[in-house]
Structures are given as structure tokens and as C-alpha cells.
Amino acid sequence: MSIDALERLIQALKTLPGVGPKSAQRLCFHLLQNERHKAKELGESLLDALNNVRHCQKCNNFTSENLCVLCRASGRDESKLCVVETPVDLNRVEQSLAFDGFYYVLMGRLSPLDGLSVRDLNAEHFMERALDGKVKEIILAMNFTNEGELTAHYLQSLCKEKGLSVTRIARGVPVGGELEFVDSGTLAQAIRDRRFY
Ligand code: ZN
């Protein structure tokens, strides 16, 4: 039996973070009843993004080119590589204005409880970037959650094996803190106060 179009849309909306069954129904009815032209735009832009957005060859962030805008930028410090979990975290660090090096976006983290293991991180791609010969310091800006700490510890051991210098942003970020929700001033201080890890 095929699932009808309405139910299919509700199911799809339910997969979005923070959207439960009730919100999914509300969104679905809202789009179909009041915002049909916006719903069309939403559908088309989603398809367009799926077809054209890929991962930057250098930093793994989303981009529609081979290299993202940041990796193509001149005048940044090639000796520093800041590793973050998500594109949102990259934007937070960038907004803090405390960092002028380059980034690597993991697009995830180790999370044994969710079944996310070392294999899901694609650490080889990260190590390739880290070992480009120009990077002198790896700055681990993982969140201060259990998963973030676990990921930082894992990357630190990989980098140490290769003789790379590793620092971790300081604990101005509260325990359990996610960068996304920390104010720019606190995050800037945490980057300045980073320490060898
Ligand atoms: Zn990039």
C-alpha cells in the first residue's frame, strides 16, 4: 500500500531536528493551505541544494564549488587549523573574530550511544588536510560535551602520532557547552586561552 502525499510530507518534516509529530502536521497544513508558492520555492531550493552542494575538498564544509570561500581566501594564517564539529560551529568561531587561520569541519562527532564510530568521521581526509606541510597548530574546538571530548581526544592521539602540535580551546565554554549557544566574547576568550592538549 502506498503512503498518501499528505502523510509522506508529514513523515518527511518529522525527520527535521526539533520537529515532533504535532509541529510536522502544523507545518504541513500551513504550507499547503497558506503558503503554496513558498512551499514550491522550498521544494525547489531543497532539490537545487541537494544537486549542487557538496563538501569542500579542503575543509569538508558545504560549498557549491570544489573549494569553499574560506579556503580560497588569501591573507589567512596557513599555520593554524581549527577543527569544529559542524558548519554552525565554524560560523560561531568566525563571528568571534578571534581566529584568522583555516578550518576543518568534521560534519559530526564520535557518539558511541548513537552508533557513530571512528569510521563515520573520515579521519583520513582530516589527516590529509592536517599534514599539508604548512599547518603547525591544530586547534580542537569541539563542543564540551561527552561526545565532543571523546572526539577531541581521538583526534589529539592521531595528530600526536604524526608529531603535530595540538591545542584545545579553553574552558571559558561551560561544561556540556555547545559552541552554537556560547556568546561571541566567551568564545573569543576560549580561543585566545587555548592550551596544549
Ligand atoms: Zn573549505
Side-chain angles (χ1 to χ4, degrees):
M1 192 181 78
S2 70
I3 182 168
D4 85 2
L6 203 60
E7 190 53 31
R8 187 178 171 203
L9 177 57
I10 292 170
Q11 294 297 338
L13 289 167
K14 255 182 8 190
T15 63
L16 296 172
V19 177
K22 276 189 186 157
S23 314
Q25 284 189 19
R26 256 199 308 273
L27 282 169
C28 170
F29 298 146
H30 178 74
L31 287 168
L32 294 177
Q33 179 64 34
N34 308 317
E35 306 280 359
R36 289 185 83 100
H37 63 288
K38 286 191 188 161
K40 189 160 180 276
E41 167 59 19
L42 179 67
E44 285 169 1
S45 56
L46 185 58
L47 273 182
D48 184 40
L50 280 171
N51 288 330
N52 294 303
V53 175
R54 61 195 103 158
H55 292 285
C56 171
Q57 287 175 357
K58 263 178 118 171
C59 74
N60 203 36
N61 199 1
F62 290 127
T63 176
S64 46
E65 313 280 334
N66 287 335
L67 290 180
C68 72
V69 175
L70 271 173
C71 286
R72 281 185 278 132
S74 56
R76 297 187 74 103
D77 185 347
E78 290 183 306
S79 72
K80 297 196 202 99
L81 186 67
C82 178
V83 192
V84 292
E85 292 177 22
T86 66
V88 176
D89 293 344
L90 182 156
N91 291 338
R92 296 291 296 125
V93 175
E94 195 58 13
Q95 282 160 11
S96 78
L97 304 176
F99 183 70
D100 66 345
F102 287 88
Y103 293 92
Y104 189 88
V105 187
L106 293 171
M107 293 288 179
R109 57 190 171 178
L110 295 179
S111 180
L113 289 177
D114 301 319
L116 294 174
S117 67
V118 167
R119 248 180 305 137
D120 299 297
L121 268 192
N122 196 3
E124 283 121 58
H125 188 250
F126 162 66
M127 287 310 289
E128 216 174 276
R129 173 69 186 92
L131 292 166
D132 75 343
K134 294 172 187 155
V135 173
K136 299 278 177 278
E137 180 188 357
I138 306 285
I139 298 151
L140 300 176
M142 269 90 259
N143 292 312
F144 285 101
T145 55
N146 288 340
E147 292 90 351
E149 296 285 17
L150 188 67
T151 309
H153 188 73
Y154 170 65
L155 294 181
Q156 184 250 11
S157 61
L158 285 185
C159 292
K160 281 281 161 78
E161 261 174 37
K162 300 288 181 188
L164 288 163
S165 176
V166 183
T167 55
R168 176 86 167 103
I169 59 169
R171 282 243 181 229
V173 178
V175 175
E178 305 203 16
L179 302 195
E180 189 177 346
F181 305 111
V182 174
D183 68 276
S184 286
T186 304
L187 185 53
Q189 197 58 39
I191 294 165
R192 282 187 215 106
D193 291 348
R194 65 187 184 272
R195 54 203 69 181
F196 285 103
Y197 187 64

